Amino acid sequence: LRRTVPNQSFKSVWRSPPAGLLLDANEIHVWLIEAAETAADNLSVYAALLSAAEQARADRFKFAKDRLLFTVAHAALRSILAQYTETLPRNLQFDLGGHGKPKLRAPQAESRVAFNLSHSHGVALLAVARFREVGIDVEFVNADFAFDEVAERFFTAGEVTALRALPAHLRRQAFYKCWTSKEAFLKAKGTGLSGDLDEVNIGLAATGEQVRIDAHVPGWSLIELNVVADYEGALVYEGEPATIQLYRWES
């Protein structure tokens, strides 16, 4: 990943999308999707946008909040991709890559639109691009999660050392920044959870009261995303530097 300096203008600047939504080859659009409890009132409307298979997946969730997030996130995915491909949300069909990464099926595949979706707790992020692969990850920062054990298992020795060297009050944030960055990279490549999290070495350092993250893999770029309070997010994309547009999905 080419070193990228977190763009401070990203912080909380999730704006409404323009009326005429265009996606150039040198742009990447990132969408923030929130599944507030009030969305439950319109759950049937969201569910009507899903395929039968997606509805069945939603029904398998044990907890109502998880069913709600899945349904809203996938309804948003269909609504958003329908704009880029000039079709109806229900008409979109998807194929799976070799490691299960979704992609558009023909005829919408001819638009060369690539996408990646991630959801956690009550928030989802969707990345959309043309002619290049993208990966995105969002995680809820769980104050009770024993992150040290997970870091020991999945992080490189250098990352674990860097994590331990940080001030104690910054380590949890650093863990989630490192984790989301690694996941976004693996999702961009299409290996997902079947890949190795040590495939990309993440550098961690404290800058004031924030954790700075850095990584280098030729041909890929990493962007830290300031999502909403108590969440960490990361975007990885392929190819030349791109302009990042941040949008908030409005149902």
Side-chain angles (χ1 to χ4, degrees):
L1 290 163
R2 291 183 296 272
R3 178 172 180 177
T4 58
V5 179
N7 187 333
Q8 294 303 310
S9 66
F10 285 179
K11 193 169 185 178
S12 301
V13 184
W14 298 90
R15 58 193 180 91
S16 298
L21 193 61
L22 298 175
L23 178 62
D24 293 331
N26 65 345
E27 287 186 327
I28 294 173
H29 294 179
V30 181
W31 293 80
L32 171 64
I33 303 156
E34 296 181 88
E37 292 182 7
T38 53
D41 298 334
N42 298 316
L43 187 59
S44 61
V45 176
Y46 300 131
L49 295 178
L50 306 188
S51 67
E54 289 167 334
Q55 291 182 26
R57 285 180 63 189
D59 290 340
R60 287 196 291 271
F61 283 101
K62 180 179 180 180
F63 299 108
K65 65 179 182 64
D66 297 326
R67 288 195 298 273
L68 176 64
L69 177 59
F70 179 91
T71 302
V72 171
H74 285 261
L77 169 71
R78 285 180 169 273
S79 297
I80 293 167
L81 292 183
Q83 297 179 65
Y84 295 116
T85 57
E86 299 181 342
T87 189
L88 296 174
R90 285 278 298 183
N91 289 347
L92 290 171
Q93 296 188 66
F94 303 96
D95 287 323
L96 296 179
H99 295 278
K101 184 179 181 180
K103 60 182 180 179
L104 287 168
R105 182 184 298 174
Q108 285 76 36
E110 297 172 6
S111 67
R112 301 299 300 275
V113 168
F115 66 93
N116 197 229
L117 176 71
S118 177
H119 43 77
S120 175
H121 202 62
V123 162
L125 290 179
L126 171 66
V128 189
R130 288 192 199 271
F131 308 107
R132 67 172 92 205
E133 290 297 331
V134 288
I136 201 160
D137 193 58
V138 62
E139 298 291 342
F140 173 67
V141 179
N142 186 340
D144 298 321
F145 181 62
F147 65 89
D148 290 308
E149 299 173 9
V150 177
E152 291 280 352
R153 181 177 177 186
F154 291 106
F155 287 5
T156 65
E159 289 162 352
V160 172
T161 299
L163 188 65
R164 290 173 176 166
L166 292 172
H169 68 286
L170 293 180
R171 288 176 196 158
R172 186 174 301 275
Q173 177 197 46
F175 166 80
Y176 279 100
K177 282 182 178 291
C178 191
W179 182 272
T180 54
S181 296
K182 286 173 171 288
E183 278 292 336
F185 179 79
L186 293 178
K187 293 177 73 180
K189 285 188 62 179
T191 52
L193 289 174
S194 63
D196 294 323
L197 281 176
D198 61 0
E199 189 172 347
V200 55
N201 193 28
I202 301 294
L204 297 168
T207 304
E209 289 300 299
Q210 293 292 319
V211 175
R212 179 178 58 80
I213 197 158
D214 193 19
H216 300 273
V217 174
W220 300 87
S221 292
L222 167 68
I223 299 290
E224 296 179 53
L225 297 172
N226 293 293
V227 190
V228 293
D230 300 324
Y231 288 85
E232 291 291 342
L235 165 72
V236 168
Y237 65 86
E238 179 185 28
E240 294 300 312
T243 300
I244 313 298
Q245 303 288 358
L246 303 182
Y247 296 130
R248 184 185 297 271
W249 183 63
E250 299 164 348
S251 58

